[in-house]
Amino acid sequence: MLLKIYIIIQEEAARKYAGNPYNRESMRSLLLKPYFEFKIIHRFRKTDFTPVPKVNSVFLHIKKRKNILIDENSSDLYNNFIAYIFSSSGNNLKEKTKNIFSFKQLKRLSQDIGFQITDSPVNLSFEKWLKIFQYFITGVSTDKQRLIYNAYAKLLNEQSKIDKRNRNFKY
């Protein structure tokens, strides 16, 4: 069964989910892209709605991929890999991956895949992330792979403790 979703959503949120080419990649977009394709198919005018909203809205098409890009046995590892890097301290890939890739490995990856080690994680395309992850699976020791275990669960747990308030709610 091929799953398709059409949703009217705030443009800012759609861009976060869709990532490139509408926005830089986010952790959220990288976690979803192995399984789904995103396309903004229409931009609404604010005057298309009553009352007129303060934000821009788009019609977002989300389609489940026929061929998932991360094999089922690697999906948890992929989620942990992305969560680990995005939640690690530092501003660039060199700092954020220093515990899982040696400088030599990262330098070689950057040359082979086409990025700078000083790039922010959000500046790399999803396709480059897939290549880095494939190298992580095959070229990194099991001990270093263990460093990322449960990174996604830890991140979700930390986020669940954050006091979230609706911006429209008045206290």
Side-chain angles (χ1 to χ4, degrees), residues 90-152:
N91 297 318
N92 59 50
L93 288 165
K94 179 183 173 190
E95 295 168 354
K96 288 180 165 290
T97 64
K98 68 183 177 192
N99 294 325
I100 55 175
F101 295 125
S102 69
F103 178 77
K104 186 177 178 181
Q105 287 173 318
L106 187 61
K107 191 72 176 161
R108 178 67 186 257
L109 279 170
S110 73
Q111 292 168 350
D112 290 351
I113 297 171
F115 64 88
Q116 300 296 316
I117 63 172
T118 54
D119 282 343
S120 168
V122 299
N123 291 339
L124 272 64
S125 69
F126 169 65
E127 294 75 20
K128 289 179 182 180
W129 276 109
L130 280 179
K131 290 176 183 176
I132 294 169
F133 177 67
Q134 290 305 320
Y135 177 78
F136 176 77
I137 291 173
T138 59
V140 173
S141 71
T142 306
D143 288 341
K144 290 202 174 193
Q145 286 184 7
R146 281 193 195 108
L147 293 174
I148 70 160
Y149 287 2
N150 296 316
Y152 186 59

Side-chain angles (χ1 to χ4, degrees), residues 16-64:
K16 283 182 185 175
Y17 283 107
N20 190 1
Y22 308 104
N23 201 16
R24 298 186 307 177
E25 297 294 356
S26 66
M27 183 173 70
R28 180 171 288 128
S29 69
L30 292 170
L31 291 172
L32 293 170
K33 280 189 168 182
Y35 314 100
F36 300 96
E37 297 173 14
F38 297 85
K39 186 174 183 182
I40 295 175
I41 56 176
H42 181 74
R43 285 183 167 75
F44 291 98
R45 296 183 313 260
K46 289 181 182 178
T47 55
D48 289 339
F49 301 94
T50 303
V52 176
K54 294 181 180 177
V55 297
N56 294 322
S57 300
V58 297
F59 201 27
L60 180 65
H61 177 222
I62 305 169
K63 183 172 92 174
K64 187 174 182 180

